[in-house]
Amino acid sequence: MSVVQAHRLDPPVDPGRDHVLGDPGAEITLVEYGSYTCPYCHAAHEVIADLRDRFGERMRYIFRQRPITNDADALCSAELAEFAHHTTDSFWEVHDALMQRGPAFKPADFAEISKQFGLDPDDGAHEEAWARGQQKVREDAESARRSGALFTPTFFINGRRYEGPWDQNSLAEAMLGSLGHRVQSAALGFARWAPSTGLLLLLMTVLAVVLANSQLGPAFEGFLERQFGLLAGEGGFTLPLREWINDGLLTIFFLVVGLEIKREFTVGRLATRRAAALPLAGALGGMLFPALIYLLFVPAGPLQIGWAIPTTTDTAFAVALIALLGNRVPVELRVFLTAAVIVDDLVAIAIVAIFYSGGLDIDYIVASIVTTGLLVLLNRWGIYRALPYALLGVVLWTCLHGAGIHATLAGVILAVVTPTRPPANLRALMAQAEAILEHETQNVHERVLRHGPSEPSLRALDAIHDRIESPADKLLRHIEPWSSYLVLPIFALANAGLVWSVAILEGHERLIAAIAFGLVIGKPLGIVLTSMLAVRLKLAVKPEAYSWRQMLGAGALAGIGFTMSLFIAHQAFPDPDDFAAAKFAVFLASLIAGGLGCALLWPKPKEDPAFTGQERMAQSS
């Protein structure tokens, strides 16, 4: 799991060390990380001047140094500005002069600016001031890294990183805190908080349980069973709303899972055999042991069909708890668990398609195969537009549903055939973009009676932008938030409602025990024992950064089944009483597994190599 990037200013503004322009007590604080050799910072310099004219004493402006890496002029100009502060207290005057002369400095520029403001960096009496200026530049660069300022210019408004366009109107709207901007900022802040998906899923689960046990319960259940779809004369295609959610909406979740699996096996953590071996072994053991425990508890009969219920992991809840545990969970262990969960999801999808589908229809199976073949051909022909894939994806979903195979498999198939292009040549694309922009601005007379770049130039820039990101990565980036913040919460609301009654336990004791023991005991034991076996057989290598005890804690967190467990239980048990008992067992087991995992991961021994000073620095980056 990647470490969440910072989005808050670190450290906060300190008038004792920062260069502050404007009223120190102003209500609006705008901080810029910039470089004097960055052309975009020079363009932003004029925008800042306009904003100061507009806001006056309501705004204070702070400039922090982030010299462009490996640029001698960028470092020299930054140190000169800081040197000016420590000698003649003329930082802002030198700052403005550097912005006026750059971004491409001539050899004599620095000497002329030094002479203009009475600076003499070569004067031995000023060695301490020069050293202090260099130290300030280093501190600002480190602060930029901690704050997530990856490029110049990067702006922070009242301590929060601004990611919109930085023309005057857009920045001013953000600084004024319009309703739209506040809503957008709050939504982005919540989405970036790692446990947010798990929290939203928990809230929807609680709401579903509350609704099910209230007077609204029967009405809500009736609403979920209402038929929706398309009608044409005597025919049509309709399904109950719950089935649209479980078979249709959840296809988006499986598409995301498929895209993540494809990324991991191509360029991600599972791209090499050595990297993939340990999480593969752990994931397979973490599915095999729970299934065996279930079959040992449940006698032969119709309930044995639910053997796959305890084999799955709820990624959202597991990741949320890992994020809340912070640096008690080493980065390497996060990577292991995330990779294992991805494999878990892949196998779970295959299990659903093979074991939990209805009666098969040969005609629709043939149509599904033909549609899949067409999708493969689109990939082979190098077609990168999304529309053909989307249309054929809808056809494939319909054919799979008609064939009696679980239609959510369409999401995985669509993910597999979504093209992944080789990495773009960024240097060539940037040169092409710069040539287009230079052509648009080289002749001042061409800007008369024009409101912006020409349509051909905009199309060319759009094509360049489109080439930088592969279709698979772009699709994942666009739909993953929908899966996390819409699909899974709606699924939980539709399926997690449990009408509590002691009668749930009657006659289902072995079923409940099978699911609970499978998730709470089978998951962690399976993950650890098969991982140990893979290491003993020299098929895999366990990183030294975490212990077997910590892996057992991560395995316990994998026992939080929830979403996929409920999904499989719904497919396995058409009888409402059986489904209710399975649902209760999943809830109980997930609570116990979450608590057990946190208890095992909470201790942080001093001798644990995962928490050396160097690792702490790596995790905090």
Side-chain angles (χ1 to χ4, degrees):
M1 185 179 72
S2 60
V3 180
V4 178
Q5 184 185 317
H7 294 274
R8 302 289 299 185
L9 187 65
D10 183 12
V13 172
D14 179 4
R17 69 171 300 277
D18 282 311
H19 308 295
V20 180
L21 194 61
D23 185 353
E27 61 184 279
I28 301 171
T29 299
L30 179 66
V31 177
E32 176 188 356
Y33 284 97
S35 173
Y36 295 113
T37 59
C38 169
Y40 311 110
C41 294
H42 286 260
H45 185 65
E46 299 301 321
V47 174
I48 300 300
D50 293 336
L51 288 172
R52 293 198 68 232
D53 290 340
R54 176 172 178 175
F55 288 101
E57 295 302 312
R58 296 178 61 193
M59 166 189 168
R60 63 173 179 169
Y61 169 65
I62 291 89
F63 184 87
R64 288 182 178 176
Q65 307 288 353
R66 191 197 180 282
I68 294 176
T69 307
N70 299 324
D71 186 332
D73 284 349
L75 183 61
C76 181
S77 56
E79 292 175 348
L80 180 61
E82 297 300 332
F83 173 72
H85 169 70
H86 290 293
T87 52
T88 60
D89 196 24
S90 56
F91 170 83
W92 287 113
E93 291 81 358
V94 173
H95 170 84
D96 187 62
L98 290 167
M99 283 296 183
Q100 296 296 333
R101 293 212 180 204
F105 291 101
K106 299 176 184 178
D109 284 340
F110 297 138
E112 292 177 2
I113 291 174
S114 298
K115 182 178 179 180
Q116 177 183 352
F117 294 98
L119 306 174
D120 188 2
D122 298 325
D123 187 350
H126 293 150
E127 286 185 4
E128 181 181 353
W130 187 259
R132 290 171 65 189
Q134 291 177 315
Q135 177 64 22
K136 175 63 163 54
V137 172
R138 288 193 294 269
E139 290 175 357
D140 279 1
E142 173 62 19
S143 135
R145 185 190 65 80
R146 292 199 307 268
S147 304
L150 304 180
F151 50 83
T152 56
T154 295
F155 294 101
F156 288 78
I157 299 174
N158 291 337
R160 181 184 291 274
R161 195 173 77 190
Y162 172 73
E163 297 186 41
W166 40 265
D167 60 279
Q168 181 184 348
N169 290 333
S170 299
L171 265 175
E173 180 181 344
M175 291 164 67
L176 287 170
S178 66
L179 177 61
H181 179 75
R182 289 200 301 271
V183 171
Q184 181 187 32
S185 297
L188 286 174
F190 179 75
R192 287 176 184 138
W193 185 46
S196 60
T197 305
L199 177 61
L200 190 57
L201 203 55
L202 177 62
L203 291 175
M204 288 297 103
T205 302
V206 172
L207 178 59
V209 173
V210 170
L211 280 174
N213 290 275
S214 71
Q215 294 181 348
L216 297 175
F220 184 64
E221 183 66 22
F223 175 69
L224 290 174
E225 295 302 324
R226 285 186 60 184
Q227 295 283 332
F228 290 89
L230 299 174
L231 295 174
E234 298 296 325
F237 183 79
T238 62
L239 291 172
L241 178 58
R242 180 180 276 119
E243 285 195 38
W244 276 117
I245 294 171
N246 293 352
D247 294 1
L249 202 59
L250 210 61
T251 303
I252 298 174
F253 168 72
F254 286 122
L255 174 59
V256 169
V257 170
L259 289 169
E260 288 179 338
I261 292 169
K262 182 174 183 177
R263 180 178 62 186
E264 295 301 326
F265 275 99
T266 53
V267 297
R269 305 180 188 100
L270 307 181
T272 63
R273 184 191 65 81
R274 192 175 183 85
L278 192 65
L280 274 172
L284 294 178
M287 302 188 80
L288 178 62
F289 276 57
L292 292 176
I293 289 175
Y294 182 96
L295 293 174
L296 286 174
F297 272 88
V298 176
L303 293 182
Q304 280 203 337
I305 190 62
W307 62 268
I309 295 172
T311 63
T312 63
T313 299
D314 189 282
T315 310
F317 278 131
V319 169
L321 288 176
I322 283 179
L324 289 175
L325 287 167
N327 62 5
R328 295 178 184 277
V329 182
V331 173
E332 292 83 355
L333 186 58
R334 302 183 190 195
V335 170
F336 167 82
L337 182 60
T338 305
V341 168
I342 288 173
V343 177
D344 184 307
D345 286 335
L346 173 62
V347 179
I349 294 167
I351 287 173
V352 169
I354 296 171
F355 296 99
Y356 296 98
S357 296
L360 301 181
D361 185 294
I362 299 299
D363 292 338
Y364 276 110
I365 289 177
V366 172
S368 301
I369 294 173
V370 171
T371 306
T372 302
L374 291 175
L375 285 166
V376 172
L377 287 176
L378 290 180
N379 183 300
R380 294 291 179 87
W381 291 336
I383 295 176
Y384 298 117
R385 295 295 178 185
L387 184 59
Y389 293 94
L391 294 176
L392 284 176
V394 173
V395 174
L396 178 62
W397 185 92
T398 305
C399 292
L400 288 173
H401 186 276
I405 301 173
H406 209 277
T408 51
L409 184 62
V412 180
I413 296 173
L414 193 59
V416 171
V417 300
T418 300
T420 302
R421 290 186 287 197
N425 185 333
L426 291 179
R427 186 181 297 274
L429 291 176
M430 289 176 66
Q432 183 182 358
E434 290 175 359
I436 293 170
L437 293 173
E438 183 179 353
H439 173 73
E440 286 286 333
T441 58
Q442 64 183 354
N443 190 341
V444 67
H445 299 296
E446 290 294 323
R447 295 199 296 268
V448 177
L449 297 178
R450 290 269 294 276
H451 296 104
S454 63
E455 287 192 10
S457 294
L458 289 175
R459 285 195 295 270
L461 291 172
D462 186 59
I464 293 170
H465 176 266
D466 184 65
R467 178 60 186 89
I468 291 174
E469 191 174 26
S470 76
D473 288 340
K474 183 179 298 183
L475 183 60
L476 180 60
R477 177 169 58 85
H478 283 312
I479 67 172
E480 196 278 332
W482 290 98
S483 172
S484 298
Y485 299 104
L486 180 67
V487 173
L488 291 182
I490 290 178
F491 173 84
L493 184 63
N495 292 275
L498 175 66
V499 180
W500 170 248
S501 170
V502 178
I504 293 176
L505 306 178
E506 296 177 359
H508 293 97
E509 293 85 354
R510 296 178 72 90
L511 173 64
I512 293 171
I515 295 173
F517 279 105
L519 285 170
V520 176
I521 297 176
K523 268 289 183 181
L525 284 183
I527 288 174
V528 172
L529 291 179
T530 53
S531 297
M532 281 184 171
L533 181 62
V535 172
R536 180 66 61 89
L537 296 175
K538 299 188 184 301
L539 298 175
V541 177
K542 185 186 79 65
E544 294 294 328
Y546 56 87
S547 65
W548 289 111
R549 186 263 304 166
Q550 289 173 308
M551 181 186 282
L552 186 66
L557 291 183
I560 304 174
F562 202 70
T563 304
M564 283 301 297
S565 294
L566 292 180
F567 178 68
I568 294 176
H570 183 267
Q571 307 303 315
F573 299 137
D575 182 88
D577 293 336
D578 295 340
F579 180 43
K583 195 184 300 186
F584 171 77
V586 170
F587 285 179
L588 178 64
S590 297
L591 287 172
I592 296 173
L596 179 62
C598 290
L600 288 169
L601 290 170
W602 188 259
K604 191 168 58 173
K606 293 181 179 179
E607 70 275 11
D608 194 332
F611 296 101
T612 62
Q614 184 177 1
E615 291 295 332
R616 283 196 185 96
M617 291 180 64
Q619 289 186 22
S620 64
S621 63

